[in-house]
Amino acid sequence: MADPMKIRATLKGDTAEIRILMAHAMETGQRKDAAGNTVPPHFIQAMTVEVGGKKVVDGHVGTSVSRNPVFGFKVKGAKAGDKVVVSWVDNKGDKRTDEAAIA
Amino acid sequence: MNTTRRTVLKSATASGVLAGLIAAGALRPTQVLAADWNKAAFEAHDVAGALKGLGAGASADSKDLMLRVPDIAENGAVVPVDVVSNIPNTSSISILVEKNPFPLSATFEFTNGALPEVSARLKLSQTSMVKAVAKADGKFYTAQKEVKVTVGGCGG
């Protein structure tokens, strides 16, 4: 099981700024380990962000996103206390869902 | 003589059930599906192939699509990229790195009040053009900027 995400959601006016830090190795499949073996790809493929029960962002990700990816989004019409739910799934089928409330 | 027909019927039922399950799964809001990961676009080795995979044939450069990247990145493994679209009705934004082994980095679709802007951190294997592609009303718009990388991000 992957480590929890860090989600920060702050309200500015009627727009929520959401920043997400995902803990993931994001192996590209290009890298070689010390023994010269290619490290197999292991990366997040899909992610969704929901605010107040509605899907706001549907993202697909490739190998060239950095290790421990950080994503920032802005959502209009959000209210303080709305629940932000972020989920991802990687190419090995590992998944993780975390939530936070808009502050 | 009827065995083929049986098999076909059987597999049809099975796939029907499967399709039903997938539909039921897709209806659950918390479900993330990697199944619709755009393999053709993400595994394309050049920008043209990736754009084709995204369905972006003709695209025009647009000043309303802002791409913020550093001019020089000391570390190609972590390059901050911000994309903001001021094009009305922008529904999705994709980010591509021209010289990476697989140029397409990420693609995001925005719904239910999400503003068409995203920030992310990308890996750049070498100095390269970074390209943002926004989709609005079925048309594609692009913006691009070069990032100089002093140390690559796909190291061996």
Side-chain angles (χ1 to χ4, degrees):
Chain A
M1 195 65 183
D3 288 330
M5 284 178 252
K6 283 183 188 152
I7 304 167
R8 204 179 64 207
T10 47
L11 203 59
K12 281 195 182 144
D14 65 343
T15 305
E17 288 187 14
I18 302 171
R19 286 192 71 78
I20 306 154
L21 174 89
M22 300 171 178
H24 202 284
M26 296 300 284
E27 281 296 347
T28 59
Q30 315 274 334
R31 207 167 64 88
K32 290 190 171 70
D33 63 14
N37 302 314
T38 307
V39 181
H42 184 208
F43 59 100
I44 292 172
Q45 279 190 315
M47 56 169 289
T48 57
V49 182
E50 276 178 49
V51 173
K54 281 187 193 157
K55 180 146 98 176
V56 290
V57 177
D58 189 357
H60 288 162
V61 176
T63 49
S64 61
V65 167
S66 72
R67 177 193 176 91
N68 297 336
V70 172
F71 296 106
F73 301 105
K74 284 184 184 166
V75 179
K76 219 175 160 60
K79 293 186 293 293
D82 277 359
K83 207 158 74 168
V84 179
V85 181
V86 184
S87 314
W88 57 253
V89 56
D90 68 20
N91 65 325
K92 289 183 179 171
D94 280 350
K95 54 183 78 174
R96 172 99 215 166
T97 301
D98 284 294
E99 54 184 65
I102 296 175
Chain B
M1 135 189 130
N2 265 339
T3 47
T4 359
R5 187 172 169 273
R6 282 293 107 201
T7 330
V8 169
L9 275 177
K10 246 186 212 161
S11 63
T13 325
S15 61
V17 167
L18 194 66
L21 281 177
I22 292 169
L27 287 176
R28 269 197 316 193
T30 46
Q31 191 90 10
V32 201
L33 289 176
D36 53 359
W37 193 66
N38 192 336
K39 199 171 154 80
F42 276 106
E43 294 196 347
H45 286 280
D46 53 26
V47 172
L51 288 177
K52 205 174 145 201
L54 288 172
S59 59
D61 277 354
S62 171
K63 282 197 186 100
D64 293 326
L65 183 63
M66 319 280 200
L67 173 66
R68 263 197 309 263
V69 290
D71 292 334
I72 296 173
E74 278 180 16
N75 181 358
V78 186
V79 180
V81 176
D82 285 353
V83 186
V84 178
S85 170
N86 293 323
I87 303 163
N89 298 327
T90 302
S91 60
S92 79
I93 290 177
S94 305
I95 309 169
L96 296 95
V97 181
E98 213 160 84
K99 294 261 177 71
N100 271 6
F102 304 106
L104 183 59
S105 285
T107 166
F108 299 98
E109 281 174 31
F110 305 99
T111 47
N112 290 320
L115 299 180
E117 53 181 274
V118 58
S119 60
R121 299 196 304 203
L122 304 183
K123 287 191 275 242
L124 265 65
S125 60
Q126 55 183 298
T127 298
S128 169
M129 280 300 216
V130 175
K131 207 177 172 93
V133 181
K135 186 183 176 189
D137 290 329
K139 284 190 188 141
F140 290 90
Y141 301 89
T142 55
Q144 52 188 344
K145 254 182 202 167
E146 193 184 43
V147 179
K148 284 193 164 59
V149 175
T150 43
V151 181
C154 296

